[in-house]
Structures are given as C-alpha cells and as structure tokens.
C-alpha cells in the first residue's frame, strides 16, 4: 500500500465490496504454490485489478485464476517469476489514474495501452516508468490524448514509441531527445504542428519514423538524413513545402519513403536511385515539377508520382525495371509517347490525365501476364487498340477512355476472362461491336459510349450476365434493342441515348436503379407498360424520340424516381401529378395539357384530378405492399451506390 496517496482511485478501493476485499487480501497473503511471482508484483497486480475492476472484471477473474501471469494481456518470464508484457489494449479505460501503479512492475518490457479512451498521462507515470530500464515498447495509440507530447526523461531502453491516433498538439522540440535506443516513432494522426522534429535520440538509431496526418509545416529538415539507419519515413498528409533534398540518397537502408499529400515542390532528386533498398516511393499529391529523372525506378516495386506537375517525357527506362510492380504517374503534365519497354512484373500501370500521344506500344504487351490494371485514359493517344492486349490475361481493369483511338474494337479482348471494367468511351472507334466482347463473363462495367460504332447491339449481349453498367450511348447503333436484354439481373444502368435505335422496346431488367436512357433515338408508339416494373429506377430519360399517347399513370407512383425526361416527343393528354421529389421535363410535346397551369373547365378538370389522385393512391398502396422487401431494397441501393464508384478499387 505504498504511495497510496498518489492514486486518485484509491478511494474506490477502500469502498470495495466486503467480499471482494476478503478475496483480495486472502490472495495476497496466501503462499501461492502455483506462482513464483514476487509478492510485490502480485500485490501490484491485485491493486490494479481492483482499480480497474469496472472494466476488467469480465476478463480478469481473480477468483478463477489466482496467478496474474494467467490473466488476459499479462505475459511473464517462462518460470513465471516476473511480468514482462502488459497489454491493456481495448479495455475501455477512461481514467488514467492507475498508470503510475503499472510502473511499479520494474521488470516490464512492453506496455500496450492502445485502443482505450485515455485523455491524459499523469506526470507520475513518466517519472515512474522512466526508471524501468528494460522497458522497450510503449503504446498509447488510439486513445484520446490531448495537449503536448510529454518529455521523456529516463526510458533509457525504450525502442518503440507509438502515440498514433490521438489528438496531441503543439511543437515537438526536445521531448524525445533522451531516447537513445529509439527505433520506431509513430506519431501519425495527431494534431502536431511546427517543424518536422529532428531531435529523435542522440544516438540516432531511429529506423521507423511515422509522422503522417498532422499539421507539420516547413521544409524536410536535412538533419533527418543523419539518421542513417532509417528504413521507413512517412511524412504524408502534412503541410510540408520546399524540395526533397538530394541528401535523401544518403539513407542507404531506406525501404519506404512516403511524402504524399503535402505541398512539396522542385524536382524529384536523381539521388533517390542510389538507394538500393528503396522499394516504395510515394510523392503523389504535391507540387513536384520538372522532368522525372532517369533511373528513378531502378530498385523500386512501387512508384506513385500522381497529382503533381511533372513534365517532359517518361524516361525510357522507367517502366522496364525488373522489380517494378505498380506505377502511377496520372494527373501530371507528361508528354511524348509511352515507352515500349515494360517490366513483366507490372501489376498496375496508371498514366491517365497527362498529355501523352502516339500509339499504345504493343511490343511488350504479350509479356505482361501480371498486368491487372491498365489506365491510360484522358490523353491524346492515337492509332488503334492493340490486339496484343488480349494476351494480358490478368487484366481486371482496362481504361483507354478519352483518347483519339480509332479503328475497330479488337476481337481479342474477348479472351480477357478476368476483365471487370472496360472503358473505351470518348474515342473514335468504328465498325460493329464484335460478338466476342460478349464472351467476357466477368465484365461488370462496359462503357463504349461516345464513339463511332455502327451496326446493331449484338443479340448475344445477354451473355454478359454480371454486368451492372452498360453504356453504348453516343454512337451510330441501328436496329432494335435485343429482347434478351431482359435477362440481365444485376444491371443497374442502361445508357443507349444518342443512337439510331428504333422498334419495339423489350421488357427491361427489373434490377435497373441508376438510369435508363433511351433518349435521342427513333423510338415511337406508346411508352410501354412493361416499364411499370422498374420501381427502383432513379433517372428516366425517354426524351427526344417519337413516343406518343398519354403519359402512363404508373410513372407517378415511383418513389425512387428523381428525374423523368419526356421532352421532345409526341405525347398527348393531361400531365399527371408527380411527387415533389421528381424533376419532370415534358417540354416539346405540343399535345400535352398541364392542368395546373390551365385551370379551364372546372368540372372536367376536377374529374380528371380525381382519377389521377386515385391512381396515385393505388400506386402508393402497391408500394406499401412491397415494404416487406424494404430491407432488401436498402441493401440493393447501398450496393448500387458502391457499384457506382466501381468495384475494382483504385489502390
Ligand atoms: C505460469 O502461470 C500460468 C497461469 O497460471 C500457468 O498456466 C503456467 O503453468 C505457469 N508456468 C509455470 C512454469 O509455472
Ligand atoms: C505505428 O507504426 C509502427 C511502425 O510502422 C507500426 O508497427 C504500428 O502498428 C503503428 N501503429 C498503429 C496504431 O498503426
Ligand atoms: C548524389 O549522389 C552522388 C553519387 O551518385 C554523390 O556524388 C552526390 O554527392 C550526391 N548528392 C548529394 C547532395 O547527396
Ligand atoms: C504551396 O507552395 C506554393 C509554393 O511552392 C505556394 O505558393 C502555395 O501557397 C502553397 N500552398 C499551400 C496550401 O500551402
Ligand atoms: C528495351 O530493353 C532492352 C533490354 O534492356 C534493350 O536492349 C532495348 O534496346 C530496349 N528497347 C527500347 C525501345 O528501349
Ligand atoms: C483530363 O486531364 C486534364 C489534364 O490533362 C485534367 O485537368 C482533367 O480533369 C482530366 N479529366 C478527367 C475527367 O479526369
Ligand atoms: C461512361 O462514359 C460516359 C461518357 O461518355 C461518362 O459520362 C460515364 O460516367 C461513364 N460511365 C461509367 C460507368 O464509366
Ligand atoms: C442520356 O444520354 C445522352 C447521350 O449520351 C446524354 O446526352 C444525356 O445527358 C443522358 N441523360 C441523362 C439524364 O443523363
Ligand atoms: C405545370 O404548370 C405548373 C404551373 O405553371 C408548373 O409549376 C409545373 O411544373 C408544370 N408541370 C409540368 C409537368 O410541366
């Protein structure tokens, strides 16, 4: 009971229930045959279990396991003589009053307090635990700590310090300088400000430095490069400016360098390519400019320079380095053509939104058997789509949209049986849609809109059973929609606008949710009743056709509908009343009467209003009956939302 005054929770202990107290003292005094844990440590642990009994009572069942070495989160030496590791991770701790008590366990090597709700660290903790020479690991990650980083006096053996995911703030000056053994420092996801700390232990043995997601500003300090043992540096998501000093090349053990989401500028230093160990370099979302130096990817597996202002050509050796797996240079100002030499290790290649021109080089495509993501969209690439792409058997995402690609859609794409997303929109592709495209059974998204494709929609289109988004809009497609289209059962979006389609409109898949777009075609006759089944559909575009007859009353009963475009058709009769949540455009239909704006013969219009009103009621009743399906619907809508963002993740 030494130091009892130091612990605020002591009062709780004296108030403990009688029976608990009896057990407590019995256990402390009992000569426990099982355990050789020193009496001091046993007493400390029982005191701790009392202090924390509100949160640990379900995991530290003292009556069942008298030896603290058997408690959850406690590890002892192999002979149970002393406690070495204490993990109170995820114990729902809120009051840090118990912390100094923990430091009485002088044999502690690791103390893990992560995933709790602690908001402060008592001074007594730093003083007491600082004396434990063998303490190597201390983690307070994922708590609610506020205020300044404490100054670590003592802690001569501390190697691993994790304060990530808290709300600590202020500058970091000399607080950590005494930590001579520090190897890992993780301060990410806090609110630290000021300059990147440079006093990180006088003996400079730091290996992992993680400072991401703070408010550090100013330049990358050169002193950092005196920490020769650094293996990982993560400075991402701060407000750093200035350039990346060429002395980075001095860090001969560096494996991972992450500088993403800052305001760094200047050129990428050539000296990076001196680091033989460097496998990942990410400098995306900065203001780096100038040319990409030769040799930069010499030893890299992962290179991300996207969202910068890099210009000039892509170095001819950049993509051919044998270890290279992922390259992202998208959203820069790169010009010239795509280098032909590519490494067969490539898994992901993103060069979108640059100013690249010339043809898609086909020489090495046949060797890219691991290539899973190829994104070259929004450039000025010309020539045709190389048939050799059909050999890239791992492709899941192929995006060549928004270029000047011409010629036909190669049949060879039909053999890409892992392809999920095919985006070729906004090019100058001609010819018919080959039947072979409908062999890609894994396809979820097919977007070949805004091209010059002609002929009909292949009747074998039904074979693309998994399709969620089909966009054939803005082409020169003729003929009618194949009736087999009704057999899609995952299709959420069907875009057929701006073609020359005509004839009968077949039954549409009930799964449609995002949009049905038949606009700017040659459809005529009444709006078919089969559309009344599309109760989940949000956007309806039937505009700019020759639809005639009345606006079907079923259209007013859809609660998912947000937009209905009927403009420029030959519809007639009275416009029924739609819910206020629907944006309706009926302009350009000379035969339509808007009763709201023309309240003419009262009797007739009252009668009409009534009939309209009752059909709305019927439609709503039908809707209510299907409320049982509400949960399913909610899931489907959630799915539709996530699918809209594409299933193939961009990392
Ligand atoms: C250490 O204590 C645990 C928990 O009581 C027990 O299961 C284990 O057998 C003990 N080991 C030794 C060597 O006494
Ligand atoms: C902090 O960084 C270290 C070193 O990379 C890592 O082991 C630890 O898991 C990180 N902490 C959290 C909460 O992710
Ligand atoms: C860059 O690397 C070269 C060797 O490749 C070396 O001579 C030069 O001093 C380095 N520059 C800096 C600033 O470290
Ligand atoms: C980023 O740095 C540039 C100079 O390189 C400066 O003009 C700009 O204001 C900075 N932006 C922010 C958000 O700090
Ligand atoms: C591609 O790389 C090989 C081997 O490094 C080399 O011989 C060839 O000249 C390179 N081709 C081009 C077009 O750079
Ligand atoms: C296309 O690239 C330009 C830069 O070249 C960029 O400004 C624009 O946002 C990109 N468009 C899309 C749709 O990504
Ligand atoms: C398909 O391409 C059009 C441009 O023609 C674009 O607006 C639309 O977002 C694309 N949809 C998908 C799912 O890629
Ligand atoms: C329907 O498709 C046409 C042609 O692609 C497009 O211009 C129009 O914006 C689309 N309608 C809606 C509501 O998105
Ligand atoms: C009918 O006219 C009223 C009043 O001018 C207007 O608010 C409403 O939007 C019109 N309805 C349609 C479907 O155009």
């Amino acid at each position: 009971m030494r130091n009892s005054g130091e612990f605020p929770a002591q009062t709780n202990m004296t108030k403990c229930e009688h029976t608990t107290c009896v057990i407590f003292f019995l256990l402390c005094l009992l000569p426990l045959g099982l355990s050789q844990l020193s009496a001091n440590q046993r007493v400390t642990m029982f005191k701790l279990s009392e202090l924390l009994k509100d949160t640990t009572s379900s995991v530290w069942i003292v009556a069942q396991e008298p030896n603290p070495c058997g408690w959850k989160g406690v590890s002892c030496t192999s002979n149970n003589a002393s406690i070495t590791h204490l993990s109170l991770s995820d114990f729902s701790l809120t009051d840090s009053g118990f912390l100094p008590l923990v430091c009485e366990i002088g044999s502690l090597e690791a103390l893990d307090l992560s995933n709790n709700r602690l908001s402060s660290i008592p001074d007594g903790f730093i003083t007491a635990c600082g004396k434990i020479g063998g303490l190597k690991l201390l983690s307070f990650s994922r708590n609610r700590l506020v205020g300044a980083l404490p100054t670590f006096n003592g802690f001569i053996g501390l190697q691993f310090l994790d304060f990530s995911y808290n709300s600590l703030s202020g500058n970091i000056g000399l607080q950590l300088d005494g930590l001579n053994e520090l190897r890992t420092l993780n301060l990410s996801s806090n609110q630290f400000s000021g300059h990147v700390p440079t006093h990180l232990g006088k003996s400079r043995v730091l290996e992992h430095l993680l400072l991401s997601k703070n408010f550090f500003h100013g330049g990358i300090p050169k002193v950092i490069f005196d920490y020769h043992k650094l293996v990982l540096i993560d400075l991402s998501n701060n407000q750093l400016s200035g350039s990346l000093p060429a002395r980075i090349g001095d860090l001969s053990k560096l494996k991972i360098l992450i500088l993403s989401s800052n305001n760094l500028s200047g050129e990428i230093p050539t000296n990076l390519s001196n680091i033989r160990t460097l496998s990942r370099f990410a400098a995306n979302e900065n203001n780096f400019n100038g040319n990409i130096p030769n040799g930069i990817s010499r030893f890299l597996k992962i290179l991300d320079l996207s969202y910068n202002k890099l210009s000039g050509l892509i170095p001819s050796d950049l993509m051919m380095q044998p270890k290279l797996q992922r390259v992202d240079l998208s959203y820069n100002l790169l010009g010239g053509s795509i280098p032909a030499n590519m490494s067969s290790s490539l898994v992901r290649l993103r060069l979108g939104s640059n100013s690249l021109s010339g043809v898609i080089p086909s020489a090495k495509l046949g060797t890219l058997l691991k290539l899973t993501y190829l994104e070259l969209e929004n450039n000025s690439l010309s020539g045709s789509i190389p048939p050799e792409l059909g050999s890239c058997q791992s492709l899941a995402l192929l995006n060549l949209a928004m270029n000047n690609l011409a010629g036909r859609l190669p049949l060879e794409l039909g053999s890409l049986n892992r392809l999920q997303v095919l985006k070729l929109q906004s090019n100058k592709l001609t010819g018919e849609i080959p039947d072979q495209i409908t062999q890609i059974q894994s396809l979820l998204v097919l977007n070949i809109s805004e091209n010059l494709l002609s002929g009909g929609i292949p009747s074998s289109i039904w074979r693309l059973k998994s399709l969620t988004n089909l966009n054939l809009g803005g082409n020169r497609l003729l003929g009618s929609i194949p009736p087999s289209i009704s057999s899609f059962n995952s299709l959420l979006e069907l875009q057929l606008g701006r073609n020359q389609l005509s004839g009968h409109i077949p039954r549409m898949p009930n799964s449609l949710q995002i949009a049905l777009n038949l606009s700017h075609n040659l459809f005529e006759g009444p709006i078919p009743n089969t559309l009344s089944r599309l109760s989940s559909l949000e956007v309806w575009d039937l505009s700019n056709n020759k639809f005639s007859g009345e606006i079907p009353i079923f259209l007013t009963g859809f609660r998912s509908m947000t937009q209905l475009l009927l403009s420029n058709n030959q519809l007639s009769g009275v416009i029924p009343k739609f819910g206020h949540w629907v944006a309706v455009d009926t302009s350009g239909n000379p035969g339509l009467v808007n009763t709201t704006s023309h309240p003419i013969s009262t009797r007739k219009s009252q009668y009409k209003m009534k009939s309209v009103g009752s059909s709305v009621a019927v439609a709503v009743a039908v809707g209510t009956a299907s409320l049982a399906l509400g949960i399913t619907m909610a899931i489907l809508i959630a799915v539709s939302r996530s699918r809209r963002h594409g299933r193939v993740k961009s990392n």
Side-chain angles (χ1 to χ4, degrees), residues 78-348:
S78 59
N79 60 0
N80 281 351
S82 51
I83 297 172
T84 55
H85 294 69
L86 184 57
S87 170
L88 303 178
S89 180
D90 223 346
F91 272 40
S92 308
L93 304 172
T94 50
D95 184 346
S96 47
F98 72 92
L99 279 173
L101 178 60
V102 169
C103 307
E104 288 185 10
I105 307 169
S107 55
L108 215 50
E109 292 170 15
L111 177 56
D112 181 0
L113 299 157
S114 61
N115 294 295
N116 284 296
R117 278 171 272 156
L118 302 171
S119 56
S120 67
I121 299 177
D123 289 342
F125 172 80
I126 297 292
T127 318
C129 270
K131 294 185 183 126
I132 308 179
L135 186 65
K136 293 195 181 77
L137 178 149
L138 179 59
S139 174
F140 275 93
S141 73
R142 297 185 197 276
N143 273 281
R144 297 181 181 169
L145 298 175
V146 293
L149 185 70
T151 297
F152 289 84
N153 291 318
F155 294 95
I156 55 166
L158 197 66
Q159 297 184 358
F160 181 105
L161 184 60
D162 192 346
F163 274 95
S164 59
Y165 300 93
N166 278 286
S167 299
L168 294 167
S169 56
N171 294 2
I172 301 175
L174 296 171
Q175 293 99 313
L176 304 166
D177 206 31
L179 300 176
N180 272 333
E181 293 297 315
L182 194 62
R183 309 282 154 92
T184 297
L185 175 64
N186 192 344
L187 302 179
S188 0
S189 293
N190 276 285
Q191 292 162 23
F192 289 117
S193 52
H195 291 275
V196 169
T198 49
H199 296 279
L200 306 169
K202 291 195 186 71
S203 53
R204 294 182 172 154
V205 291
L206 194 68
E207 293 171 8
H208 296 95
L209 175 62
L210 298 102
L211 302 174
S212 69
K213 296 189 185 144
N214 279 288
F215 301 109
F216 291 115
H217 62 80
I220 297 176
K222 294 202 173 70
V223 194
I224 286 291
F225 306 122
D226 295 336
Y227 289 79
H228 286 288
K229 295 195 167 162
L230 277 169
V231 169
L232 182 160
I233 300 179
D234 184 355
L235 303 177
S236 61
N237 290 280
N238 279 291
Q239 294 163 4
L240 302 177
S241 52
S243 60
L244 174 60
R247 276 198 57 203
I248 187 78
D250 294 356
L251 297 178
S252 60
K253 295 193 162 75
L254 198 61
K255 288 185 181 157
I256 299 179
L257 177 59
I258 305 177
L259 306 172
S260 320
S261 299
N262 278 290
N263 193 17
L264 297 165
S265 53
E267 298 198 7
I268 305 280
T270 312
N271 279 29
L272 265 181
S273 56
N274 294 348
I275 312 176
R276 310 185 70 89
T277 47
L278 194 63
S279 75
R280 177 173 173 202
F281 175 46
N284 50 301
E285 292 167 72
N286 278 288
N287 279 315
F288 285 109
N289 51 41
N291 292 359
I292 301 176
N294 286 320
I296 184 87
S297 57
R298 225 160 111 205
F299 304 107
L300 292 179
K301 276 188 185 153
I302 304 177
L303 173 64
D304 190 349
L305 300 175
S306 60
Y307 293 92
N308 278 291
K309 300 202 166 78
L310 299 166
S311 54
L313 307 179
I314 299 176
S316 62
D317 67 344
L318 189 126
M319 290 176 319
M320 62 179 248
Q321 305 297 344
K323 292 183 187 165
L324 200 60
Q325 295 174 358
R326 291 166 179 260
V327 177
D328 193 344
L329 305 179
S330 55
Y331 288 92
N332 276 290
L333 308 168
L334 299 166
S337 55
I338 299 175
N341 259 350
M342 296 188 200
S343 160
S344 57
S345 307
L346 277 176
V347 171
R348 172 160 213 161

